[in-house]
Amino acid sequence: GQNIDQPTEMTATEGAIVQINCTYQTSGFNGLFWYQQHAGEAPTFLSYNVLDGLEEKGRFSSFLSRSKGYSYLLLKELQMKDSASYLCAVPVVTTSGTYKYIFGTGTRLKVLA
Amino acid sequence: KAGVTQTPRYLIKTRGQQVTLSCSPISGHRSVSWYQQTPGQGLQFLFEYFSETQRNKGNFPGRFSGRQFSNSRSEMNVSTLELGDSALYLCASSSGTSTNEKLFFGSGTQLSVL
């Protein structure tokens, strides 16, 4: 079956670095997305990886290893506003030949002063 | 460019009632997908509509249904509400043509079933 695993909750200190892991088991691979969701708000896109390696975008970086079915989101120089849930998502091809997105349960990150 | 709009923002219903939620996608987007979000389960895929046709469906009972109109606006209906249907319902829009495109989410409808 299709499955995505993420830690439920993490805590870090302002100014620190935190790594949020995501492991996936899917039939086929078409890329992996990370979204950020603040409490009571819509999820917003952070990053997309389809090839192995690290993609850097400002304070946020995302890493992918297709052979290990593993990704992580790295947040540097943490700020209070980074307190949010981080969702890992993978598009999977369906029996109709189209695709749908499977989401992990999300990792709730608390940044402490 | 206007974002994805969901109405209403909050709903309170009682068991046995039915409810209809609305989602207006970003202009030009033909795909609208619906998700149920609960604290323990994360985002669970309900269904996706593309050009007025249901293209994919998740593992939810038949009480959950939807449709899409010619202007790409979509509605989701839940009949015979149960306590367990209390959740945040999110819709997302995209062009629906590629696996490498991001989803644009609405702010959701928070449904409480009493």
Side-chain angles (χ1 to χ4, degrees), chain A residues 42-44, chain B residues 1-7 22-29 31-32 71-73 91-94 103-108:
Chain A
T44 55
Chain B
K1 207 174 191 181
V4 179
T5 303
Q6 287 190 249
T7 56
S22 179
C23 174
S24 293
I26 288 173
S27 177
H29 283 181
S31 170
V32 174
N71 61 357
S72 291
R73 188 177 72 85
C91 78
S93 81
S94 68
L103 297 175
F104 292 85
F105 285 88
S107 294

Side-chain angles (χ1 to χ4, degrees), chain A residues 30 33 35 37 40-45 48 87 91 93-96 98-106, chain B residues 9 35 37 40-43 45 48 55-58 88 90 96-103 105-107:
Chain A
N30 298 284
F33 292 81
Y35 288 85
Q37 185 180 24
E41 297 183 13
T44 55
F45 170 79
Y48 171 73
L87 312 175
V93 177
T94 64
T95 53
S96 65
T98 58
Y99 59 93
K100 64 181 181 182
Y101 292 85
I102 305 295
F103 281 81
T105 53
Chain B
R9 186 74 178 88
Y35 297 85
Q37 186 175 34
Q41 299 292 318
L43 266 75
F45 174 75
E48 183 224 357
R55 193 161 70 166
N56 287 294
K57 191 176 189 306
L88 179 66
L90 292 163
T97 58
S98 171
T99 57
N100 67 354
E101 63 169 337
K102 60 187 176 185
L103 297 175
F105 285 88
S107 294

